[in-house]
Amino acid sequence: MEKAINRQRVLLEHLRPSSSSSFVYGSDSSSSSPPISASACAAGDSAAYHRTSVFGDDVVIVAAYRTPICKAKRGGFKDTYADDLLAPVLKAVIEKTNVNPSEVGDIVVGTVLAPGSQRATECRMAAFYAGFPETVPIRTVNRQCSSGLQAVADVAAAIRAGFYDIGIGAGLESMTSSPLAWEGSVNPKVKIFEQAQNCLLPMGITSENVAHRFGVTRQEQDQAAVESHQRAAAATASGKFKDEIIPVPTKIVDPITGDEKPITISIDDGIRPNARSSDLAKLKPVFKKDGSTTAGNSSQVSDGAGAVLLMKRSIAVQKGLPILGVFRTFAAVGVDPAIMGVGPAAAIPAAVKAAGLELDDIDLFEINEAFASQFVYCRNKLELDPEKINVNGGAIALGHPLGATGARCVATLLHEMKRRGKDCRFGVISMCIGSGMGAAAVFERGDAVDDLCNARVVQSNSLLSKDAQ
């Protein structure tokens, strides 16, 4: 009975007396009780986001950091163990927030290429390096290129479900130590099912399929690559990435002498500030003789890690922690494996709709540039403003350490949204996924919960008053 009464009370709070309508239900008009009518919502679809700090069940992000992203096998992390990549970012989200590591309910790490049991153990080792006690559990998750974002979504879902109040979603990939490879034989049954067979297509071939099927030209792809490098170079030069990058002390081993040199990596090493379309045009296609996908308009094979600290809003407020962002929605969808790169074009609308928003409400996008072909297609298909997408460059310039990319994107997006302030309320992260999927998540800027900059204007008269006239 008490629950029913509470439900009625909540319902009545959404109704209010009408000051301009007549009482049309045949009741005694002299009654001291005013009529009840529904009021028109002046905020449109954005009303769901008129939040204040009393909404303690919001899942919020209070810290998001990443390592620099380095070229696999020849970059700054070529001699760095995978666990030594993950440990610094796990340590950073705790130390920079002064959260007691023993309060963390779980750590979920997105990772793709390494053998599952080995990588799970390496992640556990990294947690100990970072100062977490043995009581804090850790696990891995693999949804290909969206693994880092999936880890963040898994932690957000667990917090909402009440499993724990504080958790870390992270991502890790050392493509130096774990190259792309298929182990064992392939089930011959795959030849009977075309879509199953297409799951085995090289990613570069799926890029060529997207370019061919949807008419994405070589020139468009090369131009997108140039813009990625230019934006990443500008962000680096202006110091934007300093807010999200955790410098990593490591070593470089001379391949000839074996001598070790201590070094601290603090910047991404794959960015080409002087990239030009004329230079990229000289590169030969990699996957198809008459194709358009080259090493210059594809994402780089990279090493890196990232970590995101999430908790209930009420806990963050209690601890006095500034809120970097609010986790709103997540969606994963399936698409044709032969054109897996179209995944964001399907996933983004799904996630945005689940948030009660429209594409025009989104102020910033981080869309993973697995290949320029699929990036350009998704941008054009959704009719997105290029000035809102990957404003600090993307994976073509920065690199794509598969399991870490999602966590990297969270750090990049939320810090950029913080810099832009009231001009930037909602952001989206999305990527395509090998074997034919797409994933996307919607975030809200942390200090945007008390203003409705996206509110839509509607008539102020109540709906029932209009009907009664």
Side-chain angles (χ1 to χ4, degrees):
M1 178 61 71
E2 184 177 353
K3 289 184 177 180
I5 294 174
N6 286 335
R7 284 197 296 269
Q8 290 291 337
R9 183 178 295 114
V10 170
L11 175 61
L12 288 173
E13 286 174 355
H14 288 284
L15 302 172
R16 67 183 182 189
S18 172
S19 59
S20 59
S21 65
S22 300
F23 189 33
V24 298
Y25 299 108
S27 299
D28 184 1
S29 60
S30 63
S31 172
S32 60
S33 299
I36 294 178
S37 64
S39 60
C41 178
D45 290 341
S46 293
Y49 296 100
H50 188 38
R51 300 292 186 96
T52 66
S53 59
V54 300
F55 286 83
D57 59 340
D58 276 347
V59 177
V60 301
I61 295 95
V62 297
Y65 298 106
R66 67 174 178 94
T67 69
I69 307 300
C70 295
K71 294 176 286 189
K73 298 188 180 297
R74 52 197 179 95
F77 292 141
K78 71 180 183 67
D79 300 305
T80 303
Y81 291 105
D83 38 324
D84 282 334
L85 279 176
L86 180 60
V89 290
L90 291 181
K91 186 175 183 179
V93 295
I94 292 300
E95 287 193 342
K96 290 181 177 292
T97 57
N98 290 318
V99 169
N100 187 331
S102 65
E103 294 183 85
V104 174
D106 200 4
I107 303 172
V108 182
V109 184
T111 184
V112 178
L113 296 179
S117 59
Q118 176 179 324
R119 180 48 49 85
T121 300
E122 289 172 330
C123 291
R124 177 71 163 156
M125 291 158 55
F128 287 131
Y129 304 160
F132 287 83
E134 63 184 27
T135 54
V136 177
I138 192 167
R139 68 173 174 88
T140 59
V141 61
N142 186 347
R143 200 196 285 270
Q144 305 281 45
C145 301
S146 71
S147 297
L149 185 61
Q150 185 68 60
V152 173
D154 283 1
V155 171
I159 292 174
R160 281 177 176 163
F163 295 164
Y164 46 81
D165 293 334
I166 302 174
I168 295 174
L172 166 66
E173 207 70 58
S174 173
M175 298 183 78
T176 293
S177 59
S178 304
L180 288 163
W182 182 277
E183 294 185 6
S185 60
V186 176
N187 189 336
K189 185 188 297 184
V190 75
K191 297 178 181 179
I192 304 173
F193 300 89
E194 181 181 0
Q195 287 186 310
Q197 192 168 5
N198 287 339
C199 290
L200 300 176
L201 288 174
M203 295 296 96
I205 294 298
T206 69
S207 171
E208 294 288 4
N209 291 344
V210 170
H212 176 73
R213 188 176 302 188
F214 302 107
V216 183
T217 67
R218 169 71 182 269
Q219 291 72 27
E220 287 179 299
Q221 295 174 60
D222 287 348
Q223 182 57 37
V226 169
E227 290 176 358
S228 183
H229 283 287
Q230 289 177 341
R231 291 179 176 188
T236 301
S238 65
K240 285 185 176 181
F241 290 144
K242 289 182 179 180
D243 293 335
E244 65 192 66
I245 288 180
I246 299 300
V248 179
T250 184
K251 63 183 179 182
I252 294 291
V253 179
D254 188 302
I256 298 176
T257 65
D259 293 340
E260 296 184 2
K261 178 184 177 181
I263 188 173
T264 296
I265 307 296
S266 57
I267 60 172
D268 308 303
D269 68 14
I271 303 169
R272 302 183 185 93
N274 298 319
R276 295 181 299 178
S277 295
S278 57
D279 294 331
L280 293 182
K282 299 175 184 178
L283 298 176
K284 295 181 178 180
V286 177
F287 300 96
K288 193 176 178 182
K289 186 176 181 180
D290 59 345
S292 57
T293 299
T294 71
N297 58 35
S298 304
S299 60
Q300 300 180 40
V301 178
S302 311
D303 304 327
V308 180
L309 179 60
L310 302 95
M311 61 182 64
K312 289 174 62 174
R313 181 191 293 276
S314 58
I315 301 298
V317 171
Q318 179 184 344
K319 292 180 176 296
L321 293 173
I323 295 171
L324 187 60
V326 184
F327 185 94
R328 287 305 180 198
T329 58
F330 172 81
V333 302
V335 297
D336 183 353
I339 50 171
M340 67 91 201
V342 306
I348 291 174
V352 170
K353 182 179 180 180
L357 301 171
E358 298 177 2
L359 285 176
D360 288 343
D361 294 320
I362 307 304
D363 302 295
L364 279 182
F365 293 85
E366 281 288 328
I367 301 178
N368 187 45
E369 301 165 349
F371 298 96
S373 63
Q374 57 83 210
F375 170 76
V376 171
Y377 165 78
C378 293
R379 182 186 67 191
N380 294 346
K381 176 66 176 179
L382 298 178
E383 300 180 344
L384 303 179
D385 181 353
E387 297 305 312
K388 291 183 176 182
I389 313 171
N390 298 356
V391 295
N392 295 318
I396 291 175
L398 298 172
H400 177 25
L402 307 180
T405 288
R408 193 280 297 172
C409 287
V410 173
T412 301
L413 176 73
L414 293 184
H415 284 286
E416 181 62 27
M417 292 175 71
K418 179 182 178 181
R419 279 190 292 270
R420 296 192 175 207
K422 290 186 177 181
D423 292 331
C424 185
R425 181 170 186 180
F426 295 107
V428 164
I429 293 170
S430 186
M431 62 278 294
C432 58
I433 303 170
S435 75
M437 290 177 282
V442 177
F443 296 83
E444 185 176 7
R445 197 183 78 250
D447 59 351
V449 294
D450 293 325
D451 54 38
L452 283 171
C453 62
N454 288 340
R456 301 181 184 87
V457 177
V458 298
Q459 293 181 355
S460 59
N461 291 335
S462 75
L463 297 179
L464 287 185
S465 294
K466 184 176 180 180
D467 291 340
Q469 294 174 351

